[in-house]
Amino acid sequence: MDRPNADEEEAAAAAAPAMAQAAAPGALERLLHKATDPCNPEENWECIQKISDQVNADANGPTTALRLLEHKIQSPQEAEALRALNVLEMCVNNCGENFHHEMGKFRFLNGLIKVLSPKYLGEWSTDRVKSRIVEVMFSWTVWFPQEVKIRDAYQMLKKQGIVKQDPKLVEDKVLPPPSPRPASSIFDADGEKSKLLTRLLKSKNPEDLQAANKLIKALMKEEQAKSAKVSRRMNAIKEAHSCAEALEEMLSGCQAREGAAIPKPALEVLQGVFAKGEKLKPLMFRVASETVEDEEALAEILQANDRLTQVLRLYEQRLGPSRDSADTTGTIPPVTIYERNGLKAMLHFARDPVSSCPATRVLVLSLLSTSPSPVQHIVFQAAVPKSMAIKLQPATGSELPAFNPLSAPAVISQVLLLANPDKAPLRLRYRLLFSQDDQAHSEVGEVTDFPHADLWGGS
């Protein structure tokens, strides 16, 4: 079987002198010999636990452990190979991202592939060992989609007919118990689940160990969902900045032409980027609704959204709205709640509720100024009836500079979380405080014309 192309780092590591493997056995190697000894009548869980602790304690632990495990998995003794695979799964459960990244490199994956491939060790490897390797690799494609080389290697095995079909993952298979994790781990995030898991893992009852395995998988699925949210957020922020930067550069080029007509090809490209920016706005609100518990991450979203909003308004200011940009299906029209003294305040509505609290809706307040004077000391306050609750997240700023028709207007954003468990008619009273031309302003108002519940969040 052809070896997948590895990056330079992996190639260099693969070509390292064999003397490293001939070094005197260390603590990790001794533990692994003991844990995989085929003469043991049953799994040595205490020894397996120590292996994960040792891997976590050593900066080179993941690399060393995987090199040793590769040799054990290739053992001609079925019992030794199967126990090595159990140790491997235990390390996957316990040893974090560094271990996952190392196991997702071709230099380790090729060691597993050799056991399966008839060109290498597959002729004499037992069916039980090969089945377990296929099951392990398939489970990694499910749990660690970010490790793309695992997926590539598995798909290559399928393409070459070595893997005939995806295995059915066994839900009640007893996995090695996890070792203590960092405080930030999902296994400690829920106090009750953490206590239950600890109790189940200490039990000698096989049914309790099966229940612990299912709980571990459920917690890993929760962590995977969180990772997916983080990925969506980072991609949305990156796209918003990229789109804003492209529009800024193109609009700057238009300004340099001193009012000359924009060539049709350039105009079409400009309109396309503007349309993409318009479609990004509802995505920004969606990821904001998923991130309300993390104020630092929420601030990053709002900053990217502010930049995007500024440059989209600059486009409309210079060229007018694009006829092709309207997408009546991720946009809910904003409600203007205040527009005087050159200051405009609008409420935008996210379609999706807060994932952890379906009765809570996300609103984003946008403040813009067309005033020739700076607007300073801006504070927005809000109140709702007693049957509801509202929480205001920190705003992205408190000042708006004087309006400049040649640059994108500044924007201040602020997220409002509105809970309405009784689904009562929505009402919101607000006070907008600001100073302008050395004069203090205190403006009050009430908002009742919220979007229909079926359109906004489906409450």
Side-chain angles (χ1 to χ4, degrees), residues 86-200:
N86 276 345
V87 175
L88 175 62
E89 283 198 288
M90 175 275 301
C91 290
V92 170
N93 280 349
N94 297 328
C95 298
E97 290 185 1
N98 288 339
F99 189 90
H100 301 159
H101 184 60
E102 287 297 320
M103 79 181 187
K105 291 183 176 180
F106 285 132
R107 70 165 166 244
F108 175 70
L109 295 173
N110 282 339
L112 300 183
I113 290 170
K114 286 180 180 179
V115 182
L116 300 174
S117 174
K119 292 183 179 180
Y120 295 95
L121 310 177
E123 287 290 336
W124 52 264
S125 298
T126 68
D127 289 340
R128 287 185 65 193
V129 171
K130 288 191 283 190
S131 295
R132 285 281 284 112
I133 290 176
V134 171
E135 180 186 312
V136 164
M137 291 185 69
F138 176 65
S139 70
W140 292 349
T141 67
V142 175
W143 294 114
F144 307 108
Q146 71 276 16
E147 300 296 341
V148 295
K149 294 176 183 176
I150 297 176
R151 181 198 62 207
D152 292 345
Y154 184 77
Q155 290 301 324
M156 187 179 301
L157 290 169
K158 292 183 70 176
K159 184 177 180 181
Q160 297 193 4
I162 295 175
V163 175
K164 305 297 184 184
Q165 62 181 12
D166 295 337
K168 181 179 180 181
L169 297 183
V170 181
E171 291 294 329
D172 60 353
K173 177 171 63 67
V174 179
L175 295 181
S179 62
R181 289 176 172 256
S184 60
S185 166
I186 57 167
F187 290 85
D188 299 320
D190 187 309
E192 292 302 318
K193 288 182 181 178
S194 178
K195 291 177 183 177
L196 174 60
L197 183 59
T198 301
R199 180 177 63 78
L200 292 173

Side-chain angles (χ1 to χ4, degrees), residues 184-352:
S184 60
S185 166
I186 57 167
F187 290 85
D188 299 320
D190 187 309
E192 292 302 318
K193 288 182 181 178
S194 178
K195 291 177 183 177
L196 174 60
L197 183 59
T198 301
R199 180 177 63 78
L200 292 173
L201 290 172
K202 288 181 179 179
S203 172
K204 301 296 183 181
N205 187 338
E207 293 182 357
D208 287 342
L209 292 177
Q210 292 173 5
N213 180 53
K214 290 183 178 180
L215 181 56
I216 289 171
K217 290 185 176 182
L219 291 170
M220 289 182 70
K221 187 172 289 187
E222 290 178 16
E223 186 173 65
Q224 189 64 46
K226 291 179 181 177
S227 297
K229 287 182 181 180
V230 172
S231 179
R232 281 197 298 271
R233 182 184 78 230
M234 298 304 294
N235 287 338
I237 291 173
K238 182 179 179 180
E239 282 193 65
H241 280 299
S242 176
C243 183
E245 183 176 1
L247 268 179
E248 287 167 354
E249 291 179 356
M250 286 187 281
L251 289 172
S252 177
C254 294
Q255 180 182 344
R257 292 190 177 92
E258 296 289 342
I262 303 174
K264 186 176 180 180
L267 181 60
E268 289 177 350
V269 172
L270 192 57
Q271 289 173 338
V273 177
F274 174 80
K276 180 181 178 181
E278 284 283 279
K279 291 178 181 179
L280 279 173
K281 291 197 295 185
L283 174 62
M284 301 303 288
F285 289 130
R286 191 177 309 123
V287 295
S289 69
E290 296 177 346
T291 320
V292 292
E293 294 87 357
D294 187 339
E295 291 189 1
E296 184 175 342
L298 187 60
E300 292 181 2
I301 295 171
L302 294 181
Q303 288 169 0
N305 185 65
D306 285 355
R307 183 183 183 188
L308 183 63
T309 300
Q310 289 171 16
V311 74
L312 291 176
R313 292 198 172 274
L314 181 61
Y315 174 99
E316 293 178 336
Q317 175 186 321
R318 294 185 182 177
L319 302 176
S322 172
R323 288 177 296 176
D324 299 328
S325 66
D327 185 0
T328 57
T329 60
T331 303
I332 302 172
V335 174
T336 299
I337 63 173
Y338 178 84
E339 191 169 13
R340 289 194 296 275
N341 303 304
L343 183 63
K344 184 175 183 178
M346 296 181 294
L347 281 177
H348 305 261
F349 308 92
R351 279 189 176 274
D352 301 316

